[in-house]
Amino acid sequence: MTSASCRLHRRTALRLTMGLAATGPLLLPIGRRPHAQTLDKLSIQTDWRAQAEHGGYYQAIAAGLYRKAGIECDVRPGGPSLNISQLLMAGRVDMTMSGSFEAFTFVRENAPFFTIASIFQKDPQVLIGHPDTGFDSFEKLKGRQIMIGAGGRVTYWPYLRQKYGLSDSQLRPYNYSLAPFLADKNLIQQGFLSSEPYPITQALGLPPSVLLIADAGYTPYQNTIAISRKLVEEKKDLVQRFVDATLEGWAQYMKGGPAIEAANAMIKQANPEQTDDRLAYALKVLNERGIVMSGDALKDGIGAMTSERWQSFYDAMVAVGVLPPGLDVRRSHTLEFVNKGIGKA
């Protein structure tokens, strides 16, 4: 299935679930007919093709959590040529996967959108080096050639450059191919924790050195849910039901095991490049590095946010010239729908 507007309805989930879970027959009282349930429809656009990083949404469909909340959720996979921000602003999708930087862009442009939850407490962006070159700390970046794409050069790179005394002369183009990195053991390249390290390990025969940029104090919220203020104002109860079901889906997905097999089957159907081993690896490292469950999520539940963290990250980005001063950070987000303890240990 390759369409970016792929719909994952309850019927699809039912087909995928059959054979994956042993369940008994559904028994209805004699003489009583089932009544059709009217479901509220909502759509969310993900930032890339289906993968484990979106697993909680698929789990909420497969486990019937959205349906239990009275919602028919349309999860729409993204892709390399899709501008999901434009889809949100044009009203073609109700919500998008987003991040702190886009929320600040909405504030700067006075656009009527903001963030209502953050699935990832840590940005999964990493820098990757060969395992036998002594690359084991951010201090070791000095003097090394680093392949970073256009997005990274205007987000996390200025932060790292200032904190560790680095230079733009170290930067090299990044074309999303592993070939240059594999051919030169002295290169450092960007990547995502749950993605590039896996094929690199297969190619090298041993795991590369991976530094999570969040561990350097880089603290944006990531895998957030962006939504229009109008939808929140007009359908607050529906939004809360969606957030609650989504966070419960993530709580279930992060536990892994047989309970998420149906969700993974949906991911593989939407994106055949995702295999069982890739999905297992991604879930493993997301858990090991506390991408979803760390920090405020440990006490306030999955999706947790604080206004203090929004402000401190904004201030840090202003200090390195990434964001303009004077933005009203309070307009970037709302805490109304999160911090309710869903999924906390």
Side-chain angles (χ1 to χ4, degrees), residues 100-174:
S100 292
F101 280 107
E102 185 172 45
F104 291 133
T105 298
F106 291 148
V107 175
R108 184 180 60 199
E109 301 297 329
N110 200 30
F113 305 93
F114 62 166
T115 298
I116 58 173
S118 179
I119 305 303
F120 288 178
Q121 292 296 308
K122 296 180 181 180
D123 190 328
Q125 186 75 52
V126 296
L127 293 178
I128 307 169
H130 283 255
D132 54 352
T133 59
F135 178 63
D136 55 8
S137 70
F138 289 101
E139 287 78 9
K140 300 291 182 63
L141 287 170
K142 282 190 175 181
R144 305 288 291 269
Q145 294 184 356
I146 310 169
M147 295 189 296
I148 294 179
R153 295 185 185 209
V154 296
T155 53
Y156 60 83
W157 172 250
Y159 174 83
L160 294 176
R161 181 182 60 202
Q162 176 171 297
K163 183 169 184 176
Y164 296 102
L166 307 176
S167 168
D168 287 345
S169 64
Q170 297 176 240
L171 294 178
R172 298 294 180 269
Y174 179 63

Side-chain angles (χ1 to χ4, degrees), residues 1-7 44-46 74-79 82 87:
M1 187 179 300
T2 59
S3 170
S5 60
C6 160
R7 292 179 177 269
I44 182 164
Q45 178 71 59
T46 68
D74 177 7
V75 177
R76 305 180 183 180
L82 197 63
L87 296 177

Side-chain angles (χ1 to χ4, degrees), residues 54-72:
H54 311 152
Y57 299 104
Y58 291 96
Q59 178 66 16
I61 296 173
L65 300 175
Y66 286 134
R67 188 177 187 279
K68 183 179 179 181
I71 296 169
E72 178 184 332

Side-chain angles (χ1 to χ4, degrees), residues 232-309:
V232 167
E233 292 167 358
E234 295 180 351
K235 298 183 178 181
K236 189 167 297 184
D237 174 70
L238 173 58
V239 173
Q240 185 68 74
R241 284 185 280 129
F242 172 83
V243 171
D244 289 349
T246 297
L247 300 186
E248 179 58 36
W250 274 103
Q252 293 183 11
Y253 191 79
M254 296 307 293
K255 292 178 181 178
I260 69 168
E261 289 180 0
N264 280 343
M266 297 172 77
I267 292 172
K268 290 184 291 184
Q269 184 187 37
N271 180 9
E273 293 182 358
Q274 290 298 314
T275 57
D276 288 334
D277 55 338
R278 281 181 175 270
L279 291 168
Y281 172 83
L283 182 59
K284 174 178 177 288
V285 295
L286 290 174
N287 273 315
E288 287 178 346
R289 303 300 288 270
I291 301 301
V292 175
M293 289 303 298
S294 62
D296 295 315
L298 296 176
K299 61 184 180 66
D300 293 328
I302 295 174
M305 302 187 298
T306 68
S307 293
E308 292 78 12
R309 177 167 164 181

